[in-house]
Amino acid sequence: MQTVETLNEGLRRSYKLTIAAKDIAAKIDAEVKRAAPTIKMPGFRPGKVPPNLIKKMHGPALEQEALNTAVQEGVQSLIAKEGLRPAMQPQVALDDDYAAGKDVEVKVDLEVLPEVPAPSIEGLKLERLTVEATEAEVGEQIARFAAQQKSFAPAKKGHPAVEGDQVVIDFVGKTEDGVAFPGGTGEDMAVELGAGRLIPGFEDQLEGVKVGESKTLHVTFPKDYGEKSLAGKPATFDITVKEIKVPSEAKLDDDFAKGLGLESFDKLKELFKGQVEQELNGLTRTYMKRKLLDQLAHGHDFPVPPSMVEAEFDQIWRQLEHEASHEEDPQAALAEMEKDKDDYRSIAERRVRLGLLLSEIGRQHNVEVSAQEMRMLAAQAAQQYAPKDRERFMEYVMSDPVAAAQIRAPLYEDKVVDFLFDKAEISERPATREELEAAIESEDDAIGGHVHGPDCGHDHHDHDHDHKPKKAAAKKAAPKAEVTEDAPAKKPAAKKAAPAAAEKAEKAPAKAKAEPAAEKAPAKKAAPKKTK
């Protein structure tokens, strides 16, 4: 194979590879020899078909396979020979004049990772804001938990349903022309008024109903409803009220705790105090990590591969567009985003640079994710798949370097950050939760996103904290990346789903008694692409 460099400009490289026809022919012969024992042809015993007949019968497929193998080996050989560190997958193209039986000319375009200057990690200074879990906050957490565990008791005869009550109904959903739609019929559905679990307008129209009453509810399906034939369309639900229940408050005492399997109410308080402390520690880490990454970003400047920046920006922009589509005025939200497009591109560049920097720090100081840790990470990621697919997913992750890098990314980054915390001079200052949250918010309402480096693949698992453009600070424009301990954020409100017709794509009802006709569909985690 002959190699000629045709471009060496900044981080961009281009090469022309020439693969001799005889090398491709040799690969075809090798493939024929490998496949011969399995090929059957009338008039010949298995494994005895002459090579020339195999080539005649399967020539184009063999040629294509040999060509693909030769090109892949050629590109890998080029990378190894030139000592290249590709930033992204190389772009490979065959010469337009290629014909079978001739030498092959291949053009290879790629960007290489920059030489990262020796990271300066001396003199890092950080402040840890320490917050105590107060009795009042622990009490509030327990009260909220108890509210979620509340029970209902039958209401007095003639009681009209009010917000907070539970109304048990039978229902039949119909389109505006009076035709019942699939999945829109059910019995004994318990609806908690004011819980916001149903499509807009459904719960409100149940206020004031009494046991035995029948009523027709008028609603409109959400525009983003999963069943396209119903999305944005008006509909009616004929309902019959079978029972009304009123909430009964739980008494927070030892009996309440014992009902949860704990020894006493004091044990329950200890449990919740630990949870509050864990949350506060997460906030403290978020604040410290932002300050750490700010110091690293300000102290290091070097060119980064445009292809990596573009990939990172595309990820940010797609998430922004997704959020804008759920605003009251999507077009206005998109217009506001466009004003800050250059600023978001700068954020993407910062993320890429920080990712490269953290990767280099980890490499220099032998930060590693062990094989055992990788197996645990892969096993956790596999839980989002059906049990029958989990083993196949595990095998895929452990054999594919890119998939493995994506799974490893957040833990690797955490380890590098922890290493830097150990190196930094850290002072402590007592603070309240409000002060800590205000300090985090003062970082211009950060955007969460994975710092993007060569050791972390090209997915977004963990969260750097880059600053929104100041002029966009009041907008709901920042992408809401998956939340981890390093990026506590308000959970986005779950979308309202329409009646059970929307859920049929997720699960078929097991009984004639349908799920709530207007229940929200459960939120689904974004899953990595399944193996083929």
Side-chain angles (χ1 to χ4, degrees), residues 264-484:
S264 64
F265 188 68
D266 286 340
K267 289 293 183 182
L268 182 64
K269 288 199 292 186
E270 286 179 19
L271 178 64
F272 273 89
K273 183 176 181 181
Q275 292 180 355
V276 172
E277 289 174 341
Q278 185 176 14
E279 181 187 357
L280 292 171
N281 289 338
L283 288 171
T284 297
R285 180 183 170 85
T286 294
Y287 175 73
M288 290 176 62
K289 183 175 177 181
R290 289 189 186 181
K291 292 300 185 183
L292 170 68
L293 295 180
D294 280 345
Q295 289 185 49
L296 292 175
H298 294 154
H300 300 85
D301 188 18
F302 51 86
V304 294
S307 60
M308 292 180 74
V309 174
E310 194 62 29
E312 187 71 18
F313 174 77
D314 287 345
Q315 174 75 12
I316 293 173
W317 202 250
R318 282 196 301 270
Q319 206 160 350
L320 287 166
E321 289 177 329
H322 174 74
E323 289 221 344
S325 70
H326 293 83
E327 294 286 351
E328 292 182 7
D329 188 344
Q331 293 303 317
L334 287 170
E336 286 297 314
M337 283 165 46
E338 286 289 341
K339 295 178 183 178
D340 298 324
K341 198 166 189 176
D342 289 342
D343 295 315
Y344 286 116
R345 197 174 297 277
S346 296
I347 287 171
E349 181 176 335
R350 168 189 155 104
R351 288 185 184 176
V352 171
R353 184 174 289 109
L354 279 169
L356 294 170
L357 191 59
L358 290 179
S359 293
E360 182 63 17
I361 293 171
R363 187 190 67 80
Q364 288 188 9
H365 297 278
N366 300 315
V367 176
E368 294 181 347
V369 173
S370 69
Q372 181 180 1
E373 288 171 329
M374 269 304 299
R375 284 192 293 272
M376 291 177 61
L377 292 171
Q380 290 171 1
Q383 294 306 306
Q384 63 190 307
Y385 293 91
K388 64 180 181 179
D389 295 325
R390 290 173 187 170
E391 185 176 348
R392 187 160 59 96
F393 174 78
M394 290 277 290
E395 293 173 355
Y396 165 66
V397 168
M398 302 309 289
S399 63
D400 185 278
V402 174
Q406 292 176 349
I407 296 293
R408 181 179 60 243
L411 180 57
Y412 181 83
E413 182 178 313
D414 271 346
K415 286 193 166 192
V416 176
V417 168
D418 287 337
F419 167 79
L420 292 172
F421 282 167
D422 289 340
K423 290 288 184 181
E425 179 184 331
I426 298 177
S427 59
E428 294 194 356
R429 175 166 64 89
T432 64
R433 173 189 280 269
E434 291 72 20
E435 289 171 338
L436 177 55
E437 290 177 342
I440 293 173
E441 288 299 320
S442 70
E443 298 285 307
D444 292 332
D445 196 12
I447 294 176
H450 177 46
V451 292
H452 194 149
D455 293 305
C456 57
H458 305 295
D459 206 355
H460 296 258
H461 301 276
D462 200 3
H463 303 269
D464 171 25
H465 304 274
D466 305 298
H467 308 304
K468 266 189 186 177
K470 289 183 183 293
K471 58 186 176 183
K475 302 198 300 282
K476 184 183 178 184
K480 294 288 197 310
E482 180 183 346
V483 176
T484 69

Side-chain angles (χ1 to χ4, degrees), residues 158-276:
H159 172 78
V162 297
E163 183 173 333
D165 288 351
Q166 186 182 81
V167 181
V168 180
I169 62 173
D170 292 345
F171 60 90
V172 178
K174 300 177 182 178
T175 59
E176 59 181 334
D177 56 2
V179 178
F181 51 82
T185 301
E187 298 178 352
D188 297 327
M189 181 179 79
V191 181
E192 183 181 346
L193 304 190
R197 298 193 180 98
L198 310 183
I199 56 177
F202 195 103
E203 294 174 20
D204 295 342
Q205 295 177 67
L206 290 177
E207 292 189 19
V209 298
K210 298 179 181 179
V211 173
E213 182 177 343
S214 294
K215 184 176 183 179
T216 297
L217 310 183
H218 297 266
V219 298
T220 300
F221 284 89
K223 292 181 179 179
D224 60 352
Y225 183 50
E227 177 56 54
K228 299 302 181 184
S229 64
L230 298 175
K233 301 289 182 62
T236 61
F237 282 88
D238 296 332
I239 64 100
T240 299
V241 181
K242 302 180 74 173
E243 190 175 2
I244 295 176
K245 299 180 180 181
V246 295
S248 56
E249 291 188 10
K251 188 176 181 181
L252 301 181
D253 55 15
D254 286 345
D255 289 338
F256 177 75
K258 289 176 181 178
L260 299 171
L262 299 173
E263 296 177 8
S264 64
F265 188 68
D266 286 340
K267 289 293 183 182
L268 182 64
K269 288 199 292 186
E270 286 179 19
L271 178 64
F272 273 89
K273 183 176 181 181
Q275 292 180 355
V276 172

